[in-house]
Amino acid sequence: MDFGFSYNFPAIRGIQAGEEYYIAMCPLRVIPKIFLFDEEEVPPDYRAQRIINKNRIPDITNYIVDNKEDYVFSSLTASIDGEVEFKSVSPEPMYSDMGMLTISLDSRFLINDGQHRRAAIEEALKINPELGSETISVVFFIDTELKKSQQIFSDLNRHAVNTTSSIGILYDHRDKLAIATRNIVNNNQFLKRYTDREKVSLSKNSPKIIALNHIFNANLKLLGISKGDNITEQDEQFLIEFWNVLTDSINEWKMVMNQELTPKDLRMNYIVGHGVFLEAIGIVGKELYENEQDWKHYITLLKNADWSRTNTDYWKGRAINVNGRVQKTAHTIKLTAIQIKKLLNLTLTDSEQMIEEQFQKGTLK
């Protein structure tokens, strides 16, 4: 087959559903050149599902540039509309699926999976051109006139399951707060025993009480930072002390530790077994710490509070919705934090006072 000018990639050939596909190693500098995203070149039927969320690109770009010694990318998946030829390195059966993939220069490529990675690679190369010699694997499917691309896109995403945020925190060895959160859990007797490190919501029969992501989110609020922000040793020391004092101040948690109460009964009957409480206490803890008050004293006073879900005077419309279920939203977290501050006789801020007045009047939206 005479291609004239062509792309040539060392590749491995495979078979799926009776059709050949190829896995090639492509230098990063080639990715932006062959995988153009020009809407004029993409059939209209395939544009809507491939609109790039540009807000994601800087994060992925920074991930590559900031971790050039140990970043990891999964394969791109692309369809080829054009002439393709595969030549094995040897007729021997052992080597027949290893060879050179030749693709005509006028072929069209459509990414089925990896649009954001492709865009981030292009931006990363502008910052650090030396990355251009590194490679990423690309899975190529042959798709004349790109007729199968919609189905490929659908099939690739049909059974995809995102990891939970708890798993992300558990496995993240770059984010300083994720590392600090794991250290806190591992060194606090209550948290170590009753924190679920995988799930973000617990079943009613779970032997655990708190999800790892709830602790992480509470830590974000305690420090008043966003995910990915750096933290200091002083910040981490505060978090360690805070959780030690808090876990020693919630009587219901101590009852579980003493086997006087089961985790199931705790979650069914008290709000202290739910993320809305933890994130609300994070808001309160941040204010106590920033104002240089005796925050440990105030946190200790929490042992006197009634955290039961039947205590509607305190928690209805805040941590508990009208159906009696625990609800965690930005509003309920804020309202729960306000109630905790009221229990501790802390002065509400102007904005909190406004929210509380609207809540009492039933006009809060």
Side-chain angles (χ1 to χ4, degrees):
M1 193 178 295
D2 184 12
F3 287 95
F5 295 104
S6 60
Y7 299 107
N8 297 279
F9 301 105
I12 298 173
R13 176 174 55 188
I15 302 290
Q16 283 187 4
E19 299 288 340
E20 290 188 358
Y21 71 98
Y22 309 92
I23 303 174
M25 298 299 123
C26 295
L28 295 187
R29 64 174 176 273
V30 174
I31 298 301
K33 296 178 181 177
I34 64 173
F35 296 114
L36 301 175
F37 190 67
D38 183 350
E39 290 197 346
E40 295 301 321
E41 296 295 325
V42 179
D45 290 348
Y46 308 110
R47 292 178 196 162
Q49 67 192 36
R50 291 179 171 81
I51 294 175
I52 290 181
N53 180 354
K54 294 183 179 180
N55 293 328
R56 289 181 56 193
I57 297 173
D59 288 339
I60 305 175
T61 301
N62 291 335
Y63 164 71
I64 305 171
V65 174
D66 295 341
N67 302 284
K68 59 183 180 181
E69 300 298 328
D70 59 354
Y71 73 92
V72 178
F73 267 163
S74 57
S75 301
L76 304 178
T77 303
S79 295
I80 306 173
D81 174 21
E83 293 186 89
V84 174
E85 184 178 60
F86 180 80
K87 290 185 178 180
S88 300
V89 295
S90 169
E92 294 291 328
M94 182 180 296
Y95 303 106
S96 62
D97 289 327
M98 301 170 58
M100 185 66 67
L101 179 66
T102 301
I103 306 171
S104 62
L105 203 60
D106 59 355
S107 295
R108 289 190 300 172
F109 298 87
L110 186 60
I111 293 183
N112 304 114
D113 184 49
Q115 284 278 43
H116 294 88
R117 275 167 282 159
R118 173 242 172 267
I121 287 170
E122 181 174 14
E123 294 304 311
L125 289 172
K126 294 176 183 176
I127 299 171
N128 187 353
E130 294 180 0
L131 292 168
S133 59
E134 301 195 0
T135 59
I136 187 171
S137 56
V138 180
V139 180
F140 288 111
F141 291 95
I142 309 304
D143 183 14
T144 304
E145 297 182 4
L146 302 177
K147 292 180 179 179
K148 299 178 182 178
S149 290
Q150 264 191 341
Q151 191 61 56
I152 292 173
F153 178 87
S154 175
D155 289 347
L156 286 172
N157 290 279
R158 178 180 306 233
H159 303 294
V161 178
N162 292 328
T163 59
T164 67
S165 54
S166 286
I167 285 286
I169 295 162
L170 183 65
Y171 292 167
D172 193 335
H173 296 277
R174 292 194 178 94
D175 186 279
K176 299 299 183 183
L177 186 59
I179 296 170
T181 300
R182 293 197 302 272
N183 289 338
I184 291 167
V185 170
N186 290 333
N187 290 284
N188 180 291
Q189 187 178 6
F190 172 79
L191 296 179
K192 184 175 184 179
R193 185 170 175 179
Y194 291 108
T195 298
D196 193 307
R197 293 164 170 79
E198 298 182 45
K199 298 181 177 64
V200 295
S201 60
L202 308 183
S203 67
K204 66 177 182 179
N205 294 317
S206 173
K208 305 297 184 181
I209 295 173
I210 300 170
L212 184 62
N213 75 304
H214 293 157
I215 301 174
F216 181 83
N217 290 339
N219 286 340
L220 289 174
K221 287 182 167 54
L222 280 165
L223 299 179
I225 62 175
S226 300
K227 185 178 180 180
D229 289 351
N230 207 354
I231 65 172
T232 65
E233 290 185 10
Q234 182 179 350
D235 291 334
E236 183 170 0
Q237 187 58 41
F238 163 62
L239 294 177
I240 292 171
E241 293 179 6
F242 181 88
W243 285 102
N244 286 339
V245 175
L246 180 66
T247 54
D248 197 45
S249 302
I250 304 299
N251 289 330
E252 291 77 7
W253 290 355
K254 296 169 76 172
M255 290 172 66
V256 174
M257 286 290 290
N258 295 330
Q259 298 185 344
E260 300 169 8
L261 189 67
T262 67
K264 177 181 178 180
D265 289 337
L266 175 70
R267 287 194 305 277
M268 287 180 60
N269 298 302
Y270 301 94
I271 69 166
V272 291
H274 298 271
V276 63
F277 165 76
L278 295 176
E279 295 194 36
I281 205 67
I283 293 173
V284 177
K286 173 181 178 291
E287 184 173 325
L288 289 171
Y289 184 59
E290 285 184 343
N291 292 337
E292 299 182 1
Q293 300 184 53
D294 186 0
W295 66 265
K296 292 182 181 180
H297 167 71
Y298 281 99
I299 297 301
T300 301
L301 293 178
L302 295 175
K303 65 185 178 182
N304 300 319
D306 181 358
W307 305 109
S308 60
R309 292 169 64 167
T310 56
N311 184 4
T312 55
D313 289 342
Y314 283 3
W315 311 121
K316 185 177 181 180
R318 301 180 193 266
I320 307 295
N321 65 18
V322 293
N323 298 317
R325 297 178 63 87
V326 176
Q327 185 175 5
K328 183 170 77 72
T329 67
H331 272 314
T332 60
I333 291 170
K334 190 68 177 177
L335 287 168
T336 302
I338 290 172
Q339 181 61 45
I340 293 173
K341 289 182 68 174
K342 290 169 64 178
L343 293 175
L344 296 177
N345 292 318
L346 295 172
T347 303
L348 301 183
T349 64
D350 291 343
S351 62
E352 288 172 339
Q353 186 63 47
M354 183 181 301
I355 292 172
E356 180 65 10
E357 290 174 0
Q358 291 176 341
F359 173 75
Q360 295 295 341
K361 294 177 181 177
T363 59
L364 183 65
K365 296 181 179 180

